[in-house]
Amino acid sequence: MTTDLSILKLIMDASLVVKIVMALLIIASLLSWTLIMVKSSTISSTQSSVTKFEERFWSGVSLNSLYEDLSQKVNRRGLERIFYDGFHEYKRALNIDPNSRLSVTDSVQRSMRVAASKEVDDLERNLAFLATVGSTSPYVGLFGTVWGIMNSFISLGQMQQATLGVVAPGIAEALIATAIGLFAAIPAVIAYNRFSDKIDRLVVSYDNFREEFTALLERHASTQRKPT
């Protein structure tokens, strides 16, 4: 008589603790994959928005015209948000004190820095979950494996005569927990590193734009006392 050693059968016959460990790992894996797809779409969309905005910004379009167009837009993201908040502060500050160019530049820099910080915070939201899944899942799976092997050896000690066929199912079901842990951890780690790199590149783009836009506004303010 042969023993059914299919993966599904081993999972169904696993001890309660090992089943709980497997269930937690599967839930963590599903949540991480959902987050990966959402973040991938969000970051890709933001990168596309940044590229399109840079092309339009440096095409020679009027700053006031660009500002007016963005004021009609409800969801501004990336450089759109940074530019809009910065130019809005620029117009407000010049209306208050058109002769103080230094204070205008400082207030615009602060406004754009806050906008950039909010953008980065939105992009990084929930990334810590991927890092947690990637770092803890192997250990959670290892716990299930150790528990399953421990139970196998306890059962083995209670038998008068033990064979490999008796011990193998218990060890195999325990090792499945480690496999599920690795299955949950590896994509999470890869996605976290990939997303972190893309966000870092966006941060560099934001910082460069802020410096270039500030220099542009300084020249803009020197040619006219108030924006038209």
Side-chain angles (χ1 to χ4, degrees):
M1 181 177 181
T2 60
T3 304
D4 186 1
L5 295 179
S6 64
I7 293 178
L8 180 60
K9 178 63 175 178
L10 292 173
I11 292 175
M12 296 303 297
D13 291 341
S15 64
L16 178 61
V17 173
V18 177
K19 284 181 179 178
I20 292 175
V21 169
M22 291 179 181
L24 290 175
L25 291 173
I26 291 173
I27 292 173
S29 180
L30 292 175
L31 290 176
S32 65
W33 274 107
T34 301
L35 181 58
I36 287 170
M37 289 186 288
V38 171
K39 280 296 176 185
S40 179
S41 175
T42 300
I43 294 176
S44 296
S45 177
T46 301
Q47 288 176 320
S48 177
S49 174
V50 167
T51 300
K52 291 179 180 178
F53 179 83
E54 284 182 327
E55 291 176 353
R56 186 181 182 192
F57 181 82
W58 295 113
S59 67
V61 65
S62 167
L63 296 181
N64 287 287
S65 175
L66 184 57
Y67 173 78
E68 292 299 328
D69 288 344
L70 290 177
S71 66
Q72 306 298 322
K73 194 172 183 178
V74 177
N75 295 320
R76 293 177 287 270
R77 63 171 57 187
L79 292 183
E80 293 178 344
R81 182 177 183 179
I82 296 172
F83 166 82
Y84 182 85
D85 288 1
F87 199 68
H88 178 79
E89 178 61 24
Y90 171 76
K91 293 168 71 70
R92 187 196 68 79
L94 277 187
N95 286 329
I96 295 175
D97 188 2
N99 296 316
S100 180
R101 290 193 336 221
L102 181 60
S103 62
V104 167
T105 301
D106 290 342
S107 63
V108 169
Q109 276 279 18
R110 285 194 297 270
S111 179
M112 289 193 295
R113 190 160 45 244
V114 170
S117 178
K118 291 179 179 178
E119 283 295 305
V120 174
D121 183 64
D122 289 342
L123 292 174
E124 291 180 340
R125 184 175 296 122
N126 297 323
L127 277 187
F129 177 77
L130 291 179
T132 301
V133 171
S135 61
T136 61
S137 291
Y139 296 103
V140 175
L142 182 60
F143 169 76
T145 297
V146 171
W147 187 274
I149 292 177
M150 180 184 67
N151 285 338
S152 295
F153 278 107
I154 290 175
S155 300
L156 180 63
Q158 296 173 349
M159 296 179 182
Q160 297 292 333
Q161 183 178 3
T163 63
L164 182 60
V166 174
V167 181
I171 297 178
E173 72 185 29
L175 292 174
I176 291 176
T178 296
I180 296 176
L182 293 174
F183 178 78
I186 293 174
V189 172
I190 294 175
Y192 176 80
N193 291 332
R194 181 178 175 84
F195 292 155
S196 295
D197 177 68
K198 289 185 176 182
I199 292 173
D200 288 343
R201 292 176 182 272
L202 285 171
V203 170
V204 172
S205 297
Y206 294 164
D207 291 342
N208 291 339
F209 176 80
R210 279 171 34 217
E211 296 300 323
E212 293 169 342
F213 186 46
T214 300
L216 184 63
L217 288 181
E218 289 176 347
R219 294 194 296 271
H220 190 272
S222 66
T223 58
Q224 57 184 32
R225 302 186 65 179
K226 291 185 180 181
T228 57

